[in-house]
């Protein structure tokens, strides 16, 4: 009988867990699980306290689920990844582990940590097996005809759909209960030495069972209306599954299989195809992290973007963070995120565009702030989204395309339903004036307890165009491959 260890990270589930399934292939083998908390590393990576709470509570539920399968989930806390590798070596020695199983993470520091594990553990007789688990298709498996990583999403998406039509990735069941229940009793899960913040129980219910329930309900009831309603933040039209995917209480393959069960033509771009495209965007950003590691190191994808002359207005950044810019749709978005740890995707684009294109503040400051607050914070998606909005990334919005926050608000929250939810001080403003409340107040001689706009959009747009054009002219032409080496 061999002893197998499953090292859990962002894969806190029993179902469709590639590493867990492989470790449990033979019922007679002894299987242990381990989760190592690294608070100091989390601080360096700006993990939000609400995400820590979601992880902590999901971990407790997973420990119960594993125990029912005869698998003990052990827990350890240490400062950082280096200490985690040392503890992993010690754990394997003490419990005579024969093989380690884990699912890959694609961020640079995590890959460096895993490379150290793959180098050190075999020296003490432990076989190490890693799996591509948080993606539909493994990074490096979707390439251009020249064998390179795609830099534009649309051809990447078409290539993915072609692959998926020909060979659907399997969705694995939970493993069977072990033939021999281990006598190795883990210590109780101690709270993380990391700030935790209460979460909205209804929207972000921790654990795998809640994630699966939410997935089924979305695919059965709302996915058909998703293309038409997904951009309207007042509607409950999105899946709400981003935190489940970020932490791993749900896998993208489970999403794909459930979608196809309810919408069989999704791969042919029928009903459900728009939501499937969002899952492929998620893969795209993960593939990019592997192909261009500099994305994990605070670097823009486009070389010329290093020349951008950012503004250093601390008061403007604070106003943006607090939702006090004087632009209702931006402020409502930021207040939603600060209060709940989540922001609607359309609003993420609007808020990011405003910080970069209206305030001319470095996108990296916004990226870090989002990570520090979002319950669904995920480096690949967050970095990809910010570089898209800032026009510094692959397949980004052209730099001369600048969202007008007033017209964006009027288009996607026409009656101001969402705005009033988060800006109660605008309750008296009529629907027709909700996106220009100060214009209404001046015209009607009303006093508003709401900030005046901190910049004038038209003037800010002209300044931004000049800044971006100057950066492009000043920068030498460097291929992205060299920038990202």
């Amino acid at each position: 009988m061999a002893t197998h260890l499953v090292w859990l990270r962002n894969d806190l589930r029993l179902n469709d867990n590639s590493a867990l399934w492989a470790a449990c292939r033979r019922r007679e083998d002894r299987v242990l699980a381990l989760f190592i908390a690294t608070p100091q590393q989390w601080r360096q990576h700006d993990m939000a306290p609400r995400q820590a709470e979601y992880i902590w509570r999901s971990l407790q539920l997973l420990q119960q689920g594993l125990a029912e399968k005869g698998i003990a989930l052990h827990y350890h806390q240490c400062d950082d990844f280096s200490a985690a590798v040392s503890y992993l070596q010690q754990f394997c020695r003490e419990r005579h582990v024969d093989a380690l199983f884990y699912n890959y993470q694609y961020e640079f520091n995590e890959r460096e940590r895993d490379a150290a594990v793959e180098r050190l553990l075999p020296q003490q007789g432990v076989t190490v097996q890693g799996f591509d688990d948080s993606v539909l298709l493994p990074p490096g498996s979707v390439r251009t005809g020249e064998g390179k990583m795609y830099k534009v999403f649309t051809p990447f998406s078409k290539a993915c759909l072609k692959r998926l039509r020909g060979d659907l990735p399997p969705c694995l069941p939970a493993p069977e209960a072990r033939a021999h229940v281990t006598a190795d009793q883990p210590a109780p899960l101690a709270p993380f030495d990391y700030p935790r913040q209460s979460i909205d129980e209804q929207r972000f219910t921790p654990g795998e069972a809640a994630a699966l329930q939410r997935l089924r309900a979305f695919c059965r009831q709302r996915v058909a209306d998703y293309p038409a309603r997904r951009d309207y933040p007042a509607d409950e039209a999105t899946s709400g599954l981003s935190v489940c995917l970020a932490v791993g209480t749900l896998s993208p393959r489970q999403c794909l299989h459930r979608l196809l069960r309810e919408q069989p033509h999704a791969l042919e771009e029928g009903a459900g195809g728009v939501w499937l495209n969002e899952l492929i965007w998620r893969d795209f950003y993960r593939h990019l992290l592997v192909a261009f590691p500099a994305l994990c190191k605070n670097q823009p994808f486009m070389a010329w973007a290093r020349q951008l002359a950012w503004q250093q207005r601390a008061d403007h950044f604070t106003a943006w963070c607090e939702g006090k810019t004087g632009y209702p749709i931006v402020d409502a978005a930021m207040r939603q995120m600060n209060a709940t740890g989540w922001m609607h995707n359309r609003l993420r684009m609007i808020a990011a565009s405003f910080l970069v294109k209206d305030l001319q503040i470095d996108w990296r400051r916004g990226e870090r702030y989002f990570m520090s607050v979002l319950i669904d914070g995920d480096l690949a998606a967050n970095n990809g989204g910010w570089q898209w909005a800032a026009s510094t990334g692959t397949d980004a919005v052209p730099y001369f395309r600048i969202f007008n926050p007033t017209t964006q608000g009027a288009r996607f929250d026409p009656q101001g339903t969402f705005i009033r939810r988060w800006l109660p001080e605008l309750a008296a403003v009529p629907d027709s004036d909700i996106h220009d409340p100060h214009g209404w107040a001046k015209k009607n001689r009303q006093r508003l307890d709401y900030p005046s706009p901190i910049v004038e959009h038209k003037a800010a747009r002209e300044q931004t165009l000049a800044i971006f054009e100057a950066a492009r002219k000043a920068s030498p032409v460097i291929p992205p491959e060299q920038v990202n080496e």
Side-chain angles (χ1 to χ4, degrees):
M1 178 178 69
T3 297
H4 293 173
L5 174 63
V6 182
W7 182 17
L8 296 164
R9 293 96 73 90
N10 61 341
D11 47 5
L12 304 184
R13 63 184 183 275
L14 294 172
N15 289 279
D16 197 38
N17 186 320
S18 303
L20 179 63
W21 175 262
C24 295
R25 249 188 301 246
R26 297 190 309 179
R27 280 192 77 224
E28 64 271 19
D29 288 331
R30 175 177 179 243
V31 178
L32 306 173
L34 174 65
F35 182 89
I36 304 175
T38 52
Q40 183 174 306
Q41 199 85 38
W42 292 347
R43 288 185 180 93
Q44 292 174 12
H45 293 172
D46 303 300
M47 188 171 79
R50 284 191 179 91
Q51 187 170 102
E53 175 70 10
Y54 184 90
I55 291 172
W56 164 245
R57 294 181 57 186
S58 296
L59 201 58
Q60 292 176 302
L61 294 169
L62 181 60
Q63 187 179 51
Q64 298 170 17
L66 286 168
E68 293 171 4
K69 300 289 185 182
I71 301 171
L73 171 57
H74 294 259
Y75 167 82
H76 179 72
Q77 178 176 291
C78 54
D79 283 342
D80 54 22
F81 287 164
S82 177
V85 173
S86 297
Y87 179 76
L88 191 61
Q89 291 178 277
Q90 175 189 332
F91 187 94
C92 289
R93 278 194 300 267
E94 291 175 351
R95 288 166 176 80
H96 307 290
V97 170
D98 298 293
L100 173 71
F101 301 82
Y102 66 90
N103 296 314
Y104 295 129
Q105 292 179 287
Y106 302 113
E107 300 84 352
F108 183 80
N109 293 143
E110 284 78 354
R111 293 177 69 203
E112 290 283 290
R113 172 203 59 196
D114 293 349
V117 168
E118 292 173 358
R119 183 177 67 255
L120 294 170
L121 281 187
Q123 296 175 14
Q124 61 188 64
V126 180
T127 301
V128 178
Q129 293 187 46
F131 301 86
D132 289 295
D133 185 73
S134 66
V135 287
L136 294 171
L137 298 168
S141 67
V142 183
R143 293 187 173 272
T144 67
E146 292 76 36
K148 297 179 180 180
M149 173 60 198
Y150 285 97
K151 302 186 187 77
V152 178
F153 174 72
T154 299
F156 175 85
S157 176
K158 290 180 178 178
C160 285
L161 288 170
K162 183 178 180 180
R163 284 278 306 274
L164 293 172
R165 290 186 197 110
D167 186 17
L168 203 65
C171 189
L172 302 167
E176 295 182 5
R178 311 314 299 150
H180 306 287
V181 178
T182 178
D184 189 359
Q185 294 301 314
L189 293 177
F192 302 147
D193 181 19
Y194 194 84
R196 299 193 346 254
Q197 191 173 359
S198 62
I199 59 180
D200 182 337
E201 283 285 344
Q202 186 173 0
R203 181 180 285 273
F204 307 118
T205 310
E208 178 180 12
L212 287 169
Q213 183 178 7
R214 192 173 187 92
L215 172 64
R216 293 187 191 106
F218 174 72
C219 290
R220 187 177 301 126
Q221 300 165 12
R222 301 205 309 275
V223 76
D225 295 329
Y226 178 77
R229 304 307 306 168
R230 63 178 179 144
D231 281 319
Y232 297 87
D235 293 353
E236 289 292 330
T238 62
S239 71
L241 294 169
S242 54
V243 64
C244 308
L245 289 164
V247 170
T249 53
L250 189 69
S251 81
R253 292 174 305 281
Q254 288 174 298
C255 294
L256 174 61
H257 281 260
R258 174 54 58 175
L259 175 64
L260 291 174
R261 180 174 296 184
E262 302 293 340
Q263 305 289 343
H265 302 294
L267 286 173
E268 283 72 41
E269 301 183 12
V274 174
W275 188 60
L276 173 57
N277 220 40
E278 295 301 312
L279 294 175
I280 296 175
W281 266 109
R282 185 176 174 278
D283 261 34
F284 183 54
Y285 287 140
R286 276 167 165 67
H287 288 223
L288 285 170
L289 287 190
V290 176
F292 305 108
L295 294 174
C296 299
K297 302 176 183 179
N298 275 332
Q299 295 300 318
F301 184 82
M302 297 297 183
W304 64 264
R306 294 180 178 183
Q307 308 296 325
L308 285 164
W310 302 111
Q311 297 290 331
Q312 303 299 324
R313 291 286 300 267
D315 56 335
H316 280 183
F317 184 68
T318 299
W320 178 81
C321 290
E322 295 178 353
K324 297 178 180 179
T325 69
Y327 286 88
I329 195 66
V330 175
D331 293 341
M334 296 303 293
R335 294 191 201 181
Q336 178 192 40
M337 182 176 71
N338 290 336
T340 69
W342 185 82
M343 187 190 291
H344 187 279
N345 187 58
R346 167 57 59 173
L347 300 182
R348 296 188 197 206
M349 293 189 281
I350 295 171
S353 176
F354 186 84
L355 182 74
V356 177
K357 304 287 181 67
D358 282 81
L359 303 184
Q360 292 113 35
I361 290 175
D362 193 334
W363 61 271
R364 285 164 286 210
R365 297 186 68 185
E367 179 194 24
R368 291 197 68 171
Y369 185 73
F370 268 36
M371 283 297 289
S372 72
V373 179
L374 286 172
I375 190 171
D376 61 356
D378 172 277
L379 175 64
N382 191 49
N383 179 276
W386 270 96
Q387 294 224 47
W388 182 90
S391 306
T392 63
T394 177
D395 201 25
V397 59
Y399 76 93
F400 48 81
R401 181 185 169 195
I402 299 176
F403 283 175
N404 182 318
T406 302
T407 57
Q408 285 284 308
R411 180 178 178 185
F412 297 112
D413 190 29
Q415 282 77 48
T417 305
F418 177 81
I419 287 171
R420 288 190 180 84
R421 191 179 301 165
W422 296 103
L423 305 181
E425 59 267 45
L426 299 183
V429 180
D431 292 358
S432 58
D433 296 292
I434 192 67
H435 304 288
D436 181 22
H438 287 289
W440 170 83
K442 182 178 180 180
K443 182 172 57 180
N444 292 276
R445 299 183 180 179
Q446 299 289 322
R447 185 180 181 278
L448 283 178
D449 184 22
Y450 178 65
S452 297
I454 59 175
V455 293
E456 197 276 315
H457 173 70
K458 185 176 180 181
R461 182 180 185 277
E462 294 304 315
Q463 293 168 2
T464 296
L465 289 174
I467 289 169
F468 273 70
E469 287 167 5
R472 288 173 65 86
K473 290 177 181 176
S475 178
V477 177
I478 304 174
E481 290 81 358
Q482 293 182 24
V483 175
N484 286 279
E485 284 178 350

